[in-house]
Amino acid sequence: MEVLQDEYLGMGSKVQEFENKLEDFFSREAVCVVNGTAALHLALEACQFKPDSEVLVPSLTYVASFQSITAAGLKPISCDIETENFLLDIKDAEKRITSKTVAIMPVHYSGGVGNLDELYEFANSNNLKVIEDAAHALGSTYNGKKIGSFGDVICFSFDGIKNITSGEGGCVVSKDKLLIEKIKDLRLLGVIKDSDKRAKGERSWEFDVKEQGWRYHMSNIMAAIGSVQLKRFPDFISKRRSLAKKYDALLSGYKEIQTLKNNYDNIVPHIYPIVLPKYINRDLLRNKLNKLNIQTGVHYFPNHKLSYYKKEIILKNTEDIFERIITIPIHNDITFQDQEYVISQLLNIIKKSE
Ligand SMILES: *Cc1c(COP(=O)(O)O)cnc(C)c1O
């Protein structure tokens, strides 16, 4: 309401305020942009890789990861995942390294992060930059440290369904001050030092531009929403964790349904996927659940099977899991009773199709 009454709707002091709060959260500098895809795109641009360089990325991710790579003039190289947490399989990625490979983009699926020490060791020994797609992983921790508070370049999303939202939005976090400064210019059409000037209300029409930039900045409206959401985040975290633990408990007796092997004391779950038994027709099941007012999703259609990114490769785990996966509802407004209803209806349908 303050922003609306002030009538400065675009990028101004509220964005800097939100960035300062994020900086406290991560203990590192953060740059806010218009969405998570823009965060990934600018992170890659700022690294200044040679055109057509290759980036290793799991195929089982939102198409945003892939689009950010091609937007930066680079080539996404689809990799397989591990079956227990749907995270990038490093052994598979290793097989796909060529002389053109410059970076690796692990996707922290549903907030899980896997063994990041191993991932960074792999990246360092192969001279690869790590761009973490942490769109799902705000609030998740690794060895007691927050995701974003360590590592190379980490990108978050604040879209409407992520762990916190600013309506739309995203940010890049890094220890690399030069990279952060570069992204600050790139998000404002390459106008040098425009971010600082706007925050101080000293914007002028005399400026210089030395490179391609994008109109990817965040607005005061978005930042104000983000700031309030960040304040409420501790409550969201405990809610999401308890919901995931509840689903785990409700499903623990049913060996035919596979769940992610995540420790919800350490990570914050963004989605809750389950892998159905092979004999279940997924579309039929989803329709039946929908008629019972239970909405489900499929996260995700493998990118190496999309027309734009098509590759004649077989990613065994990705393809096996993709055909049997559904995500069941997890969000701030759901109750334990709702969850019991979801699981009892789900098990009912499965039992009938045995
Ligand atoms: C949401 C998401 C993004 C992109 O974030 P937007 O804010 O929607 O642009 C990137 N990667 C993954 C895995 C996501 O889920």
Side-chain angles (χ1 to χ4, degrees):
M1 289 313 293
E2 224 178 274
V3 169
L4 292 180
Q5 272 147 18
D6 265 6
E7 295 183 3
Y8 194 108
L9 310 182
M11 180 172 157
S13 60
K14 286 288 167 200
V15 175
Q16 200 181 37
E17 256 177 65
F18 185 36
E19 285 175 342
N20 290 342
K21 286 175 186 152
L22 289 168
E23 210 168 311
D24 289 343
F25 182 84
F26 294 117
S27 311
R28 263 182 174 192
E29 220 176 322
V31 200
C32 284
V33 290
V34 72
N35 56 48
T37 312
L40 290 165
H41 178 197
L42 291 191
L44 290 162
E45 288 286 348
C47 291
Q48 295 180 290
F49 298 123
K50 266 197 229 138
D52 291 323
S53 297
E54 296 175 355
V55 181
L56 302 167
V57 58
S59 177
L60 196 81
T61 181
Y62 188 39
V63 67
S65 321
F66 275 62
Q67 285 281 16
S68 71
I69 295 169
T70 41
L74 307 168
K75 244 168 94 181
I77 302 298
S78 295
C79 299
D80 209 354
I81 48 164
E82 291 182 357
T83 49
E84 72 267 23
N85 51 17
F86 303 176
L87 300 174
L88 183 99
D89 178 352
I90 294 175
K91 288 206 178 63
D92 184 80
E94 192 164 21
K95 289 189 289 194
R96 303 183 194 282
I97 289 185
T98 70
S99 57
K100 286 184 160 184
T101 315
V102 291
I104 184 163
M105 184 184 284
V107 176
H108 299 330
Y109 188 99
S110 183
V113 296
N115 188 337
L116 280 175
D117 283 329
E118 205 183 315
L119 185 114
Y120 272 92
E121 260 165 47
F122 167 74
N124 289 338
S125 62
N126 290 287
N127 219 354
L128 307 178
K129 191 103 181 166
V130 181
I131 316 286
E132 296 178 39
D133 180 343
H136 294 191
L138 187 73
S140 284
T141 61
Y142 176 73
N143 287 344
K145 294 176 292 184
K146 273 191 196 119
I147 294 305
S149 69
F150 62 96
D152 284 356
V153 190
I154 305 91
C155 300
F156 295 89
S157 162
F158 309 130
D159 91 12
I161 59 157
K162 294 287 165 37
N163 289 358
I164 69 165
T165 186
S166 55
E168 295 278 353
C171 75
V172 184
V173 185
S174 179
K175 65 167 185 280
D176 184 342
K177 292 234 185 284
L178 285 175
L179 185 115
I180 291 287
E181 288 309 309
K182 192 168 179 62
I183 293 173
K184 281 187 179 172
D185 289 346
L186 292 181
R187 71 174 163 179
L188 284 161
L189 296 168
V191 176
I192 290 168
K193 296 274 179 224
D194 203 19
S195 290
D196 288 349
K197 288 184 195 154
R198 281 169 182 251
K200 292 189 196 126
E202 290 170 3
R203 202 175 160 204
S204 86
W205 300 109
E206 251 174 81
F207 55 72
D208 197 11
V209 169
K210 291 181 179 164
E211 61 194 323
Q212 175 67 53
W214 289 266
R215 198 160 162 82
Y216 275 180
H217 58 275
M218 183 178 262
S219 74
N220 273 358
I221 298 180
M222 302 156 91
I225 297 170
S227 284
V228 176
Q229 284 266 303
L230 192 60
K231 199 156 72 189
R232 296 174 63 191
F233 193 35
D235 291 339
F236 299 165
I237 290 177
S238 44
K239 178 82 193 234
R240 280 185 177 274
R241 284 179 168 163
S242 67
L243 292 170
K245 286 180 190 174
K246 173 80 174 175
Y247 274 141
D248 273 1
L250 288 169
L251 289 168
S252 67
Y254 300 90
K255 291 282 168 286
E256 67 272 36
I257 296 174
Q258 190 197 324
T259 57
L260 293 180
K261 305 273 180 297
N262 279 334
N263 180 345
Y264 295 111
D265 290 323
N266 300 334
I267 74 150
V268 182
H270 162 56
I271 48 178
Y272 193 93
I274 57 174
V275 186
L276 299 165
K278 286 210 163 88
Y279 56 82
I280 295 294
N281 179 323
R282 176 176 58 186
D283 292 341
L284 220 61
L285 175 99
R286 292 188 68 215
N287 280 338
K288 284 182 183 165
L289 288 172
N290 208 23
K291 289 204 183 99
L292 296 162
N293 258 333
I294 300 167
Q295 292 171 319
T296 59
V298 176
H299 296 94
Y300 295 93
F301 189 86
N303 282 271
H304 75 283
K305 291 181 167 291
L306 296 172
S307 304
Y308 191 45
Y309 296 114
K310 204 149 210 133
K311 277 271 158 58
E312 295 309 321
I313 51 168
I314 291 169
L315 301 176
K316 194 178 165 299
N317 293 345
T318 303
E319 284 161 46
D320 175 45
I321 279 165
F322 159 68
E323 292 186 349
R324 299 189 288 133
I325 201 174
I326 64 166
T327 36
I328 54 179
I330 188 166
H331 55 82
N332 208 46
D333 297 326
I334 201 171
T335 64
F336 284 166
Q337 286 90 323
D338 293 333
Q339 289 185 288
E340 281 159 10
Y341 174 71
V342 169
I343 297 302
S344 69
Q345 295 303 331
L346 176 80
L347 292 174
N348 227 342
I349 298 168
I350 291 178
K351 232 173 258 148
K352 282 191 198 140
S353 18
E354 264 172 0

